[in-house]
Amino acid sequence: MMSLHGANGAVEHGGGADGASLPDHAVWIDLNDPTAEEAAQVERKTGIRIPSRAALSEVESSSRLRRNRDGLSLSTPMVTFDRSDFSLKPLGFLLTADHLVTVRFHEMRAFAAVRKRVDDGDGDGSTSTRMFLLVVEELVDNLADLLEEMSGDLDSLSTRIFDFDAGARPGARKGDTTAPKRRDLALRRLLRSVGRHGKSLAKVRASLLGLGRIIAFAKSECQQGLGEGDLPRFDTLAGDIASIDEFETRLSETVQFLLDATLGLINIEQNNAFRILTVVSVVGVPPTLVASIYGMNFKHMPELDWAYGYPYGLALIVISAIAPLLYFRKRGWL
């Protein structure tokens, strides 16, 4: 789909195969998963070569940030902002003195917000550079909002992890015990949740890193042609990205801390299981020893002729089993 935005604030959609159908006043041309016909149409009208998705996905810095004959070609991976399908997809900016062409492959509310801001007179999109700044500002705001949501999610996750005994079973109180299988499933869910947050933060970090490089490169390349109010906006954007990056770093450290805590809980559960097995094995040793002694086939065994020998042997077996349990309980091992 093609979206055109002119300096007068009008928004038009579509476009045919004829390049003349693109109006001359269009400053911003937004291509969302463009077809070959739409890309060719824009190329004929603006003279800007539209890169393919594969070209925008290149990881080399020289491929993502470069000056062409007509202007700047900039690209970065950008998160989808869809928590149900959180992934990175390429986003491209083609910036010339007269036009800004954005190439993307997924819906982003930042672009709709920019169009609304310009239509409402809340943003100056009179030049391609200012339109570029509006788009990047909105993307940075969206990333900040996303990190704030993740911060709230991590706070809730932290409560679940450190109140695990209370939260392992619905309605249970802290200190209550649950079935080992249920506790195991709860720990698995916590571990998966921590992992998902870690992956999401890594993708946000990649987006922030890409935008930071784009702003620094565009500022250095466009500095001679910037308007009086444009240069401070570049500096403000760079500062915002740096502060958000610091916030993301703290969230990543929180994720690592929660991961360590979750693994610690898993180790505790494993140790408890091994402790129970150890106690059971130790408790079974004395009765086995007693039964082995009285199971020997010697001819002269005093207890064989004793009327109370059998009850005595059973009692001795029971006592030898209970004594270690009482000892372990007294020491706090049970």
Side-chain angles (χ1 to χ4, degrees), residues 140 143-144 147 151 201 204-205 208-209 237-254:
V140 171
L143 287 172
L147 287 176
S151 177
L201 283 171
V204 172
R205 186 174 185 82
L208 285 170
L209 181 62
L237 267 175
D240 288 343
I241 292 173
S243 63
I244 296 174
D245 186 67
E246 292 176 359
F247 184 59
E248 185 277 332
T249 300
R250 289 196 294 272
L251 291 183
S252 296
E253 292 172 352
T254 301

Short mmCIF file of all heavy atoms in Angstrom, two decimals, residues 140 143-144 147 151 201 204-205 208-209 237-254:
data_model
loop_
_atom_site.label_atom_id
_atom_site.label_comp_id
_atom_site.label_asym_id
_atom_site.label_seq_id
_atom_site.Cartn_x
_atom_site.Cartn_y
_atom_site.Cartn_z
N VAL A 140 10.45 6.79 18.42
CA VAL A 140 11.13 6.81 19.72
C VAL A 140 10.10 6.84 20.85
O VAL A 140 10.25 6.14 21.86
CB VAL A 140 12.09 8.01 19.80
CG1 VAL A 140 12.63 8.17 21.22
CG2 VAL A 140 13.24 7.84 18.82
N LEU A 143 8.68 3.38 21.25
CA LEU A 143 9.61 2.48 21.92
C LEU A 143 9.66 2.76 23.42
O LEU A 143 9.76 1.83 24.23
CB LEU A 143 11.00 2.63 21.30
CG LEU A 143 11.19 2.04 19.91
CD1 LEU A 143 12.56 2.42 19.34
CD2 LEU A 143 11.07 0.51 19.94
N ALA A 144 9.60 4.04 23.78
CA ALA A 144 9.58 4.39 25.21
C ALA A 144 8.33 3.83 25.88
O ALA A 144 8.40 3.28 27.00
CB ALA A 144 9.65 5.90 25.37
N LEU A 147 8.71 0.10 26.39
CA LEU A 147 9.59 -0.24 27.51
C LEU A 147 8.89 0.00 28.85
O LEU A 147 9.11 -0.73 29.82
CB LEU A 147 10.88 0.57 27.43
CG LEU A 147 11.87 0.14 26.35
CD1 LEU A 147 13.07 1.08 26.32
CD2 LEU A 147 12.35 -1.29 26.57
N SER A 151 8.33 -2.71 31.69
CA SER A 151 8.75 -2.49 33.07
C SER A 151 7.65 -2.92 34.04
O SER A 151 7.92 -3.57 35.06
CB SER A 151 9.09 -1.01 33.28
OG SER A 151 9.43 -0.74 34.63
N LEU A 201 13.32 -7.58 24.90
CA LEU A 201 14.21 -6.46 25.19
C LEU A 201 15.39 -6.43 24.21
O LEU A 201 15.85 -5.35 23.82
CB LEU A 201 14.71 -6.54 26.63
CG LEU A 201 13.72 -6.12 27.70
CD1 LEU A 201 14.25 -6.45 29.09
CD2 LEU A 201 13.41 -4.62 27.60
N VAL A 204 14.08 -4.75 21.14
CA VAL A 204 13.94 -3.30 21.34
C VAL A 204 15.30 -2.63 21.31
O VAL A 204 15.46 -1.54 20.74
CB VAL A 204 13.21 -3.03 22.68
CG1 VAL A 204 13.24 -1.53 22.99
CG2 VAL A 204 11.78 -3.53 22.62
N ARG A 205 16.29 -3.27 21.90
CA ARG A 205 17.64 -2.71 21.90
C ARG A 205 18.18 -2.59 20.48
O ARG A 205 18.83 -1.59 20.14
CB ARG A 205 18.57 -3.58 22.75
CG ARG A 205 19.97 -2.99 22.92
CD ARG A 205 20.81 -3.81 23.89
NE ARG A 205 22.08 -3.19 24.15
CZ ARG A 205 22.27 -2.21 25.03
NH1 ARG A 205 21.25 -1.74 25.72
NH2 ARG A 205 23.47 -1.69 25.22
N LEU A 208 16.55 0.47 18.96
CA LEU A 208 17.13 1.71 19.49
C LEU A 208 18.51 1.97 18.92
O LEU A 208 18.85 3.11 18.57
CB LEU A 208 17.20 1.63 21.02
CG LEU A 208 15.89 1.80 21.78
CD1 LEU A 208 16.09 1.47 23.25
CD2 LEU A 208 15.37 3.23 21.63
N LEU A 209 19.31 0.92 18.82
CA LEU A 209 20.65 1.07 18.27
C LEU A 209 20.59 1.55 16.82
O LEU A 209 21.34 2.43 16.41
CB LEU A 209 21.39 -0.26 18.35
CG LEU A 209 22.83 -0.28 17.84
CD1 LEU A 209 23.70 0.67 18.65
CD2 LEU A 209 23.40 -1.70 17.89
N LEU A 237 16.57 14.33 19.92
CA LEU A 237 16.30 12.92 19.60
C LEU A 237 17.45 12.02 20.05
O LEU A 237 17.22 10.94 20.61
CB LEU A 237 16.07 12.77 18.09
CG LEU A 237 14.64 12.83 17.59
CD1 LEU A 237 14.61 12.78 16.06
CD2 LEU A 237 13.81 11.71 18.17
N ALA A 238 18.67 12.46 19.80
CA ALA A 238 19.83 11.66 20.22
C ALA A 238 19.84 11.50 21.74
O ALA A 238 20.14 10.41 22.26
CB ALA A 238 21.11 12.33 19.75
N GLY A 239 19.50 12.57 22.47
CA GLY A 239 19.44 12.47 23.93
C GLY A 239 18.33 11.55 24.40
O GLY A 239 18.51 10.78 25.35
N ASP A 240 17.16 11.62 23.73
CA ASP A 240 16.05 10.74 24.10
C ASP A 240 16.41 9.27 23.88
O ASP A 240 16.12 8.41 24.71
CB ASP A 240 14.80 11.09 23.28
CG ASP A 240 14.19 12.41 23.70
OD1 ASP A 240 14.50 12.89 24.81
OD2 ASP A 240 13.39 12.96 22.92
N ILE A 241 17.04 8.99 22.75
CA ILE A 241 17.42 7.62 22.45
C ILE A 241 18.44 7.11 23.47
O ILE A 241 18.37 5.96 23.93
CB ILE A 241 17.98 7.51 21.02
CG1 ILE A 241 16.86 7.77 20.00
CG2 ILE A 241 18.61 6.15 20.77
CD1 ILE A 241 17.34 7.85 18.57
N ALA A 242 19.38 7.98 23.86
CA ALA A 242 20.38 7.57 24.85
C ALA A 242 19.74 7.26 26.20
O ALA A 242 20.09 6.28 26.86
CB ALA A 242 21.43 8.66 25.00
N SER A 243 18.76 8.09 26.61
CA SER A 243 18.10 7.86 27.90
C SER A 243 17.25 6.59 27.86
O SER A 243 17.22 5.82 28.83
CB SER A 243 17.24 9.07 28.27
OG SER A 243 16.19 9.26 27.32
N ILE A 244 16.57 6.36 26.73
CA ILE A 244 15.77 5.14 26.61
C ILE A 244 16.67 3.92 26.59
O ILE A 244 16.33 2.86 27.15
CB ILE A 244 14.89 5.21 25.34
CG1 ILE A 244 13.88 6.35 25.45
CG2 ILE A 244 14.16 3.90 25.12
CD1 ILE A 244 13.09 6.58 24.18
N ASP A 245 17.83 4.06 25.96
CA ASP A 245 18.78 2.94 25.92
C ASP A 245 19.26 2.60 27.32
O ASP A 245 19.42 1.42 27.67
CB ASP A 245 19.95 3.31 25.02
CG ASP A 245 20.90 2.14 24.81
OD1 ASP A 245 20.50 1.16 24.17
OD2 ASP A 245 22.04 2.22 25.29
N GLU A 246 19.49 3.61 28.15
CA GLU A 246 19.88 3.35 29.54
C GLU A 246 18.76 2.64 30.30
O GLU A 246 19.01 1.72 31.10
CB GLU A 246 20.23 4.67 30.23
CG GLU A 246 21.50 5.33 29.71
CD GLU A 246 21.77 6.67 30.36
OE1 GLU A 246 20.93 7.07 31.22
OE2 GLU A 246 22.76 7.31 30.02
N PHE A 247 17.53 3.06 30.05
CA PHE A 247 16.39 2.43 30.70
C PHE A 247 16.27 0.96 30.26
O PHE A 247 16.01 0.08 31.08
CB PHE A 247 15.11 3.19 30.35
CG PHE A 247 13.88 2.67 31.03
CD1 PHE A 247 13.79 2.63 32.41
CD2 PHE A 247 12.79 2.23 30.29
CE1 PHE A 247 12.65 2.15 33.04
CE2 PHE A 247 11.65 1.75 30.91
CZ PHE A 247 11.58 1.72 32.29
N GLU A 248 16.49 0.71 28.98
CA GLU A 248 16.45 -0.66 28.48
C GLU A 248 17.56 -1.49 29.11
O GLU A 248 17.35 -2.68 29.42
CB GLU A 248 16.59 -0.65 26.94
CG GLU A 248 16.43 -2.02 26.28
CD GLU A 248 17.72 -2.82 26.30
OE1 GLU A 248 18.80 -2.20 26.31
OE2 GLU A 248 17.63 -4.07 26.31
N THR A 249 18.73 -0.89 29.32
CA THR A 249 19.83 -1.61 29.96
C THR A 249 19.45 -2.03 31.37
O THR A 249 19.74 -3.16 31.80
CB THR A 249 21.09 -0.73 29.98
OG1 THR A 249 21.46 -0.40 28.63
CG2 THR A 249 22.24 -1.46 30.66
N ARG A 250 18.80 -1.14 32.10
CA ARG A 250 18.37 -1.49 33.47
C ARG A 250 17.33 -2.60 33.44
O ARG A 250 17.34 -3.50 34.30
CB ARG A 250 17.81 -0.25 34.17
CG ARG A 250 18.88 0.78 34.54
CD ARG A 250 18.34 1.78 35.55
NE ARG A 250 17.28 2.60 34.98
CZ ARG A 250 17.47 3.73 34.32
NH1 ARG A 250 18.71 4.18 34.12
NH2 ARG A 250 16.45 4.43 33.86
N LEU A 251 16.43 -2.56 32.46
CA LEU A 251 15.44 -3.63 32.36
C LEU A 251 16.11 -4.96 32.02
O LEU A 251 15.71 -6.02 32.53
CB LEU A 251 14.39 -3.28 31.29
CG LEU A 251 13.43 -2.13 31.61
CD1 LEU A 251 12.42 -1.97 30.49
CD2 LEU A 251 12.72 -2.36 32.94
N SER A 252 17.13 -4.91 31.15
CA SER A 252 17.86 -6.13 30.82
C SER A 252 18.56 -6.70 32.06
O SER A 252 18.60 -7.93 32.25
CB SER A 252 18.88 -5.86 29.72
OG SER A 252 18.25 -5.47 28.51
N GLU A 253 19.11 -5.83 32.88
CA GLU A 253 19.72 -6.28 34.13
C GLU A 253 18.68 -6.90 35.05
O GLU A 253 18.95 -7.90 35.74
CB GLU A 253 20.42 -5.11 34.82
CG GLU A 253 21.64 -4.59 34.06
CD GLU A 253 22.20 -3.32 34.66
OE1 GLU A 253 21.55 -2.77 35.58
OE2 GLU A 253 23.28 -2.87 34.23
N THR A 254 17.47 -6.32 35.07
CA THR A 254 16.39 -6.88 35.87
C THR A 254 16.01 -8.27 35.38
O THR A 254 15.78 -9.19 36.17
CB THR A 254 15.16 -5.96 35.83
OG1 THR A 254 15.51 -4.66 36.34
CG2 THR A 254 14.02 -6.53 36.66
#
